[in-house]
Amino acid sequence: MDIRISGHQVETGDALRTHVTDRLQGIAEKYFARAISSEVTFGKGPHDVGFKCDIVMHVTRGLVLKGRHDAQDAHLSFDGAATKIEKQLRRYSRRLKDRNQGQAIELAEAGAYDAGYTLFAEQMDEDEAGDAPLIIAETRVDIPDASVSDAVMMLDLRNTAALLFKNSGTGSYNMVYRRGDGTIGWVEPQRGGTAG
């Protein structure tokens, strides 16, 4: 697996680089040996106190896991982010084993988890009316054809709040989302019928 380590206004010494490489290689070998690459970025923590670590791991084509953690020490910030990545990979590999393995791998390799993100810088215009909310990100993604359980897995892997998908059982568009209490909600459109 290709591992890239960088620091923004932070020095990444040999000991830290060795720790990062060993831990990520160990995680990949344990859960998903075919992982493609990882990008680890260290920076100053909130209010320039401590450190923050962001990890982006490309597991298969289109399947990207993300983890972030803040701590007083660079090693601790990495360990916290790596633990989040490891938890996501453990869930993913468990789901692959529980389900028909071939189907889930085909979804991953077909790019069903692929998403493109475009972030826009916030622009404050004093002449704007405050009625319309500011759009800060645009997401373009293919809507996957999946079962509800696969959609929940994709929601976890993408580490996102909601996922629109085409239900492979009914052919209709459904949505799964993470509720405030941590449980998963499922929205299914009402089937034909007349309102009374």
Side-chain angles (χ1 to χ4, degrees):
M1 175 173 60
D2 178 36
I3 300 174
R4 296 182 188 167
I5 303 166
S6 61
H8 292 291
Q9 300 176 348
V10 172
E11 278 295 319
T12 55
D14 291 338
L16 181 59
R17 288 177 175 275
T18 301
H19 178 66
V20 167
T21 302
D22 292 347
R23 176 92 190 265
L24 288 180
Q25 288 287 7
I27 290 170
E29 288 171 11
K30 183 175 181 180
Y31 294 105
F32 212 85
R34 297 183 307 167
I36 299 168
S37 67
S38 293
E39 298 165 20
V40 181
T41 307
F42 291 93
K44 291 184 178 181
H47 312 292
D48 292 337
V49 177
F51 297 88
K52 64 180 178 180
C53 178
D54 291 297
I55 301 173
V56 177
M57 181 181 275
H58 300 268
V59 180
T60 62
R61 189 184 138 266
L63 177 58
V64 179
L65 304 179
K66 297 178 182 178
R68 178 191 174 114
H69 192 73
D70 298 333
Q72 292 299 318
D73 177 70
H75 288 264
L76 294 175
S77 67
F78 167 73
D79 287 338
T83 299
K84 292 174 184 175
I85 294 289
E86 186 172 13
K87 183 177 179 182
Q88 292 172 14
L89 268 176
R90 184 173 44 246
R91 273 194 215 145
Y92 180 65
S93 65
R94 188 180 321 132
R95 292 250 180 162
L96 284 178
K97 289 176 186 171
D98 290 348
R99 289 196 26 82
N100 180 344
Q101 192 171 4
Q103 262 184 340
I105 289 173
E106 284 175 24
L107 275 175
E109 291 177 349
Y113 306 123
D114 196 15
Y117 296 94
T118 306
L119 298 178
F120 299 97
E122 185 175 344
Q123 298 176 356
M124 299 302 254
D125 188 359
E126 294 173 13
D127 296 336
E128 271 187 64
D131 297 359
L134 180 65
I135 298 173
I136 59 168
E138 174 185 311
T139 304
R140 291 177 189 235
V141 63
D142 291 329
I143 298 173
D145 188 11
S147 67
V148 177
S149 63
D150 282 345
V152 171
M153 177 179 66
M154 287 182 238
L155 179 77
D156 285 340
L157 292 172
R158 289 181 180 177
N159 200 14
T160 185
L163 174 74
L164 178 67
F165 68 101
K166 186 174 181 183
N167 189 324
S168 57
T170 64
S172 64
Y173 290 97
N174 288 203
M175 178 176 282
V176 289
Y177 63 95
R178 188 164 313 282
R179 298 166 47 111
D181 61 2
T183 59
I184 302 293
W186 173 26
V187 178
E188 184 174 27
Q190 188 172 12
R191 296 211 177 150
T194 57

